[in-house]
Amino acid sequence: MSVPFRRAARELGLTPREVELAVQLGEVRTCAWGQGGRRVAREEIERHRSSEGFPEALRTRLWVVGTSDGAELLGISPARFTRLARGGCFAPVRFYVNRYRVVVWQYLATDLVEFADRNPEMLAGRTPALLREALEKHPDRRARSWRARRLDQLKAGAEGPWERAAVPAAVLDPGDLARAVPDPDERAHLIALRPALAQARPETAAAREAVDELVMAEDPDEVEWHLHCLGAALAEARVHRPAPGREGRPHAGPVPETPAAPAGPVLPDPQAEPVEQAPGAACRDGQARRPRGWRAWLRARKGARAPGRTAPATAGRRP
């Protein structure tokens, strides 16, 4: 038995947007339903409801913050937080376009905590040379970091080889896609399967244009990397089965050569480990609702990092 997302949200004590985020992060698993639909299995709901710390523990893992709350969480200025985010030190988990048509980025609080515990030297003093160099090369990596995160999520949830090939195709413009997939039948099949990186579509044309720009790869090395990923996935999909309309016909074009992987975030690649968690959270008006007891939790974290005291032995993962 399975239930729609809205009912699952009510039973899990979440908002619809939180359930959407939970599904993207793999916190809430879904099952196929009908023609291409997804629902939440009753067993999945019961798994969460019977887990220790429910519902606060689940809300904790879904707590998202903007620049102001993120800076407060890390004990730094909003300007320094923005420099770290622009440099690719941590990846946004989602965004929205506000009434002034400005893109507002949001981050997982747990990602920020992991970053701070792993890299305390980045939170005080002069801006590190590596970060300055990264900002000179790429003044703002936030959209690129978000795209990389979303593509990883979508690849993990793809149901078959053609669906996996459609994931990198979703960030390529029509010209690049035609260069990578010259056969019109294969290209049409990929276009039909392309997933949406951003779930909600803004109401105004200007906001929709801003979203459309964010989902497309921009830098040449990023484009070349996604072209290579598409070529490799397409070769696998062709072995699995031909695209509709190409049965019995040879495919067109070789797999592109492997380019250098696009430059990643500034910091070393730490391994994921458990992290000290904040109390849980929910959302309101596109912003994070601060979790119950968050001030006490924040004071405890600041005290743990104070001079003469030892910070928790935690590490994070590169977004």
Side-chain angles (χ1 to χ4, degrees):
M1 180 179 177
S2 61
V3 299
F5 280 13
R6 285 190 173 274
R7 181 171 174 180
R10 290 196 302 270
E11 296 193 23
L12 292 173
L14 305 175
T15 66
R17 286 204 74 196
E18 284 180 316
V19 168
E20 176 187 310
L21 180 60
V23 170
Q24 291 179 3
L25 296 175
E27 291 287 349
V28 173
R29 298 189 293 261
T30 63
C31 57
W33 184 78
Q35 297 295 321
R38 309 293 299 181
R39 286 164 64 118
V40 180
R42 172 61 59 188
E43 292 81 2
E44 178 70 358
I45 294 175
E46 294 306 320
R47 181 179 71 86
H48 281 287
R49 291 177 65 89
S50 62
S51 63
E52 183 179 357
F54 178 84
E56 293 302 319
L58 176 59
R59 289 174 177 165
T60 292
R61 299 191 294 273
L62 302 176
W63 182 19
V64 296
V65 295
T67 298
S68 297
D69 282 353
E72 184 175 2
L73 187 65
L74 298 184
I76 60 178
S77 69
R80 191 179 190 99
F81 182 93
T82 299
R83 285 197 299 274
L84 292 172
R86 285 176 176 267
C89 294
F90 35 79
V93 71
R94 69 184 185 190
F95 69 89
Y96 66 93
V97 181
N98 66 16
R99 72 173 96 179
Y100 305 108
R101 302 174 185 174
V102 174
V103 176
V104 179
W105 294 105
Q106 296 181 315
Y107 310 83
L108 279 178
T110 51
D111 280 355
L112 303 183
V113 169
E114 291 171 2
F115 168 78
D117 288 341
R118 183 71 178 182
N119 305 278
E121 73 281 357
M122 301 288 286
L123 305 181
R126 298 185 62 183
T127 302
L130 282 176
L131 179 56
R132 291 198 303 270
E133 293 171 6
L135 290 171
E136 290 174 1
K137 185 177 180 181
H138 297 287
D140 192 347
R141 296 183 61 95
R142 288 175 295 183
R144 181 170 175 163
S145 298
W146 171 78
R147 283 192 295 271
R149 183 173 203 152
R150 280 295 288 138
L151 291 180
D152 285 343
Q153 293 167 351
L154 292 167
K155 288 175 186 175
E159 296 183 352
W162 281 101
E163 287 78 7
R164 283 193 293 273
V167 173
V171 297
L172 297 173
D173 66 29
D176 289 326
L177 184 58
R179 175 160 61 98
V181 191
D183 183 87
D185 292 324
E186 290 183 335
R187 193 163 62 249
H189 190 45
L190 288 174
I191 291 173
L193 294 174
R194 281 190 304 189
L197 271 69
Q199 297 294 332
R201 294 288 293 169
E203 295 181 359
T204 66
R208 287 195 296 271
E209 183 178 348
V211 172
D212 290 341
E213 291 178 358
L214 287 176
V215 302
M216 304 304 294
E218 297 176 325
D219 296 325
D221 64 326
E222 182 189 9
V223 171
E224 289 301 319
W225 177 251
H226 293 312
L227 285 172
H228 164 70
C229 293
L230 172 58
L234 191 57
E236 179 185 350
R238 287 164 174 160
V239 172
H240 177 68
R241 61 174 172 81
R246 289 207 55 84
E247 294 83 353
R249 296 161 55 194
H251 66 77
V255 176
E257 295 182 2
T258 304
V266 173
L267 301 174
D269 189 7
Q271 298 299 315
E273 294 180 8
V275 62
E276 177 190 6
Q277 299 287 353
C283 300
R284 56 166 169 75
D285 302 330
Q287 297 287 344
R289 185 170 71 220
R290 288 173 170 174
R292 195 175 304 147
W294 79 277
R295 288 190 182 278
W297 176 81
L298 182 56
R299 283 196 299 271
R301 283 194 50 75
K302 288 180 177 178
R305 293 201 303 268
R309 301 188 66 176
T310 302
T314 58
R317 55 180 170 78
R318 180 193 293 179

